[in-house]
Amino acid sequence: MAANLDESFRDTIGTIDEEGHRKYIYPKKPSGKFYDYRKVVSYFLLTILIVNPFLKINGNQFMMFNVWERRFNIFSFSFWPQDFYLFVLFMVIGVVFVILFTVIFGRIFCGWICPQTIFMEMVFRRIEYWIEGDRGAQIRLEKQEWNGEKIRKKSIKWFLFLVISFLIANVFLAYLIGSDELFQLIDDGPFAHKSTFISLLIFTSVFYFVFAWFREQVCIIACPYGRLQGVLLDKKSINVAYDFVRGEKEVGRAKFNKQEDRAASGKGDCIDCKQCVNVCPTGIDIRNGVQLECVNCTACIDECDDIMKSVGLPLGLIRYASEDEIETKAKFKFTARMKGYTAILVILVGILTGLLFLRTEVEATIFRLPGQLFQHKGDNISNVYTFKIINKTSQDIKDMHFELVGIKGTLKVVGIQELKVPKQGMSSGTMFIEINKYLLESDRTNLEIDLYEGNKKIETTHTSFLSPRSFD
């Protein structure tokens, strides 16, 4: 038996009317066990999201994604352009994790973890409920003429939305340019950093547009993940699902009548109260089955359980379940598909862990100067090089010098009295390497060069040394 034999509901979107106009959603204020759990999870994640760019460990910002300077901090580890492969691997692992999570638990990420849902449902909608009231009051207010009450309520709501959007934009900017730069912007004033301030205003406008007007459309229209779930989900994936076997039975849905024996009549446990529809933040009917608009927010579970409790029927008519569990009572199994994604994830995490252990905090590169040949200096051969030293740590590195390994020679840095690199910075320059021609066995010799801070070796790099084919 299918949840809904008539599939025509899939031809339309719940937020668009028959004429193609936007149909605004006024969801009922949710309450219940899952909503309370979601509040705890949401405010915990909001705290992490807000604190992350302002938290520092060993002088490094905990999370930063500075696209302009191509510097990224993940869990206080700094990643430079030279470490971009690690950043890409981080992103791939994140994608595989979300795919695995979706295959097993459906779109639970959207309802419990996604920042869009958390801000929308746990911040902006709660302000809306506080100012305008619940679903019925909001609908009446919307239909009401523009009198003093409506102007006052709408103005307060829109002003608070703007303030919160501005604060979110500042946090977002702290992720992009760094919290120190953000505080510097605040100290210097907006006109001292006009381009950054304009970016801040643009971010504020985008967030205000999303949360004040576009709202659930982000999940329904803009977010590609909703479409992706259609490819990833199968009958074994756990979703927020309506138990159509129990809800429909032989006769189907029917209004509740406490005078009748509902079980004997063959009527389903669904009393067609439509409260699951009224509470849905995307305006869908969960009884139609799996839909891309569903963000697994569990509001319908809480609402249905409350109704079932009031009419004396068993809870769980809407619950977390797979389609197989509802149709055949099959227990959840870790399928071959899930095992495959898990294996890929474990392998990628293992590779990333190994690369992180091999990663150095100071990186030095030495290249021969393009277009320059070797020079004769008596019995010595000289090559000119450019070098670049990147300091990924939060401490300045001073008193640095290079030393040749395995062969005698002279290294001379040009024009720099003291070789040092600032924290989270880079130093570059030019140097000459001279080696006695009788120590060279071929026209191209691979050199190993150590970089020292005082007496401490901090990095090893390699380059090539050119010389004549023959010294005769």
Side-chain angles (χ1 to χ4, degrees):
M1 180 178 182
N4 191 328
L5 295 176
D6 181 10
E7 295 284 319
S8 61
F9 73 94
R10 299 192 186 277
D11 298 334
T12 59
I13 297 177
T15 55
I16 304 294
D17 63 21
E18 294 179 356
E19 298 178 354
H21 299 140
R22 170 79 178 275
K23 185 167 65 176
Y24 286 88
I25 303 296
Y26 300 96
K28 181 182 178 182
K29 184 178 181 181
S31 62
K33 177 181 67 175
F34 282 105
Y35 187 64
D36 291 339
Y37 290 156
R38 282 180 60 219
K39 283 193 289 187
V40 173
V41 172
S42 296
Y43 295 132
F44 172 72
L45 292 176
L46 276 178
T47 302
I48 292 176
L49 182 70
I50 293 170
V51 170
N52 264 343
F54 304 102
L55 179 66
K56 289 189 175 183
I57 297 179
N58 295 325
N60 288 338
Q61 187 170 310
F62 193 70
M63 284 286 187
M64 183 178 70
F65 305 93
N66 192 331
V67 179
W68 290 275
E69 296 179 6
R70 292 180 294 172
R71 287 174 50 208
F72 304 91
N73 287 2
I74 301 178
F75 306 131
S76 79
F77 291 103
S78 296
F79 295 89
W80 286 68
Q82 291 79 3
D83 299 317
F84 190 69
Y85 66 98
L86 292 173
F87 180 74
V88 171
L89 193 53
F90 261 117
M91 297 299 103
V92 171
I93 288 173
V95 170
V96 174
F97 177 78
V98 170
I99 289 174
L100 174 61
F101 213 64
T102 304
V103 169
I104 300 175
F105 295 110
R107 208 173 172 181
I108 191 173
F109 171 85
C110 297
W112 290 77
I113 303 173
C114 177
Q116 159 69 20
T117 304
I118 291 175
F119 276 114
M120 187 70 249
E121 302 302 323
M122 296 300 173
V123 179
F124 289 91
R125 281 210 201 277
R126 297 200 73 188
I127 291 173
E128 209 162 46
Y129 292 134
W130 173 54
I131 295 172
E132 297 183 353
D134 209 339
R135 169 182 163 82
Q138 289 182 26
I139 294 174
R140 288 192 296 272
L141 183 67
E142 196 62 34
K143 294 179 179 178
Q144 186 175 307
E145 293 184 359
W146 282 94
N147 55 20
E149 179 194 11
K150 185 171 182 176
I151 293 172
R152 175 176 56 83
K153 288 184 176 180
K154 293 290 186 181
S155 298
I156 293 173
K157 182 184 79 169
W158 290 336
F159 174 73
L160 290 177
F161 280 12
L162 184 62
V163 170
I164 295 173
S165 297
F166 180 74
L167 295 176
I168 296 172
N170 275 273
V171 173
F172 185 69
L173 198 62
Y175 276 102
L176 292 181
I177 66 173
S179 55
D180 291 338
E181 291 291 329
L182 178 64
F183 289 135
Q184 189 65 48
L185 169 67
I186 295 172
D187 288 341
D188 295 343
F191 297 107
H193 306 272
K194 291 181 181 179
S195 60
T196 309
F197 182 65
I198 291 172
S199 299
L200 179 63
L201 294 180
I202 292 173
F203 292 147
T204 301
S205 301
V206 170
F207 289 127
Y208 183 77
F209 167 77
V210 167
F211 295 116
W213 187 81
F214 205 48
R215 301 163 79 89
E216 71 285 337
Q217 300 288 84
V218 172
C219 305
I220 297 173
I221 298 174
C223 180
Y225 180 54
R227 272 73 180 167
L228 183 64
Q229 71 163 342
V231 178
L232 298 175
L233 298 183
D234 57 28
K235 289 189 174 184
K236 301 183 185 302
S237 301
I238 299 172
N239 265 302
V240 171
Y242 166 64
D243 189 341
F244 55 86
V245 174
R246 178 187 146 196
E248 310 291 322
K249 291 186 179 176
E250 295 85 10
V251 176
R253 310 166 193 167
K255 297 294 183 182
F256 181 74
N257 184 353
K258 61 182 178 181
Q259 304 298 329
E260 69 177 352
D261 185 348
R262 195 173 185 89
S265 68
K267 294 178 180 178
D269 284 358
C270 177
I271 65 172
D272 205 22
C273 63
K274 291 186 170 59
Q275 291 306 303
C276 58
V277 180
N278 293 337
V279 80
C280 179
T282 59
I284 67 167
D285 188 340
I286 190 65
R287 298 172 298 175
N288 287 331
V290 177
Q291 298 155 73
L292 66 86
E293 297 98 325
C294 178
V295 294
N296 280 210
C297 69
T298 70
C300 55
I301 297 180
D302 284 330
E303 196 65 24
C304 186
D305 280 351
D306 189 55
I307 295 296
M308 292 293 103
K309 191 184 299 181
S310 67
V311 298
L313 293 173
L315 307 184
L317 182 59
I318 302 175
R319 64 183 186 274
Y320 277 118
S322 67
E323 191 173 338
D324 270 1
E325 179 188 342
I326 291 173
E327 286 183 339
T328 65
K329 307 299 181 184
K331 293 183 179 179
F332 173 77
K333 290 183 179 179
F334 209 68
T335 65
R337 187 184 181 201
M338 298 173 187
K339 291 176 183 176
Y341 285 126
T342 302
I344 293 172
L345 184 63
V346 170
I347 291 170
L348 289 175
V349 170
I351 293 172
L352 177 64
T353 303
L355 291 175
L356 286 175
F357 275 112
L358 294 173
R359 173 181 177 269
T360 58
E361 293 187 330
V362 178
E363 186 171 316
T365 54
I366 300 175
F367 296 104
R368 290 189 67 259
L369 193 64
Q372 296 292 320
L373 295 176
F374 52 83
Q375 295 178 341
H376 290 270
K377 292 187 176 181
D379 287 339
N380 292 336
I381 304 297
S382 174
N383 281 211
V384 61
Y385 297 85
T386 59
F387 66 86
K388 183 183 294 184
I389 306 172
I390 296 175
N391 179 9
K392 303 172 186 176
T393 71
S394 57
Q395 304 293 328
D396 294 339
I397 300 178
K398 302 178 180 179
D399 190 22
M400 304 176 71
H401 66 276
F402 293 101
E403 288 187 10
L404 282 170
V405 178
I407 191 170
K408 290 183 179 181
T410 304
L411 294 92
K412 183 179 180 182
V413 177
V414 179
I416 300 177
Q417 297 297 324
E418 180 187 1
L419 186 56
K420 57 183 179 181
V421 188
K423 61 181 180 181
Q424 298 290 315
M426 178 183 70
S427 287
S428 59
T430 305
M431 71 176 179
F432 288 94
I433 299 179
E434 292 184 15
I435 301 176
N436 190 287
K437 63 183 182 181
Y438 297 110
L439 299 176
L440 300 170
E441 298 178 354
S442 69
D443 59 339
R444 181 181 292 270
T445 305
N446 291 323
L447 299 182
E448 181 177 327
I449 301 173
D450 288 340
L451 177 63
Y452 283 82
E453 180 186 12
N455 296 321
K456 178 185 176 184
K457 185 173 76 172
I458 56 176
E459 171 67 328
T460 298
T461 186
H462 298 81
T463 190
S464 61
F465 188 89
L466 297 185
S467 60
R469 291 181 181 274
S470 171
F471 297 106
D472 296 335

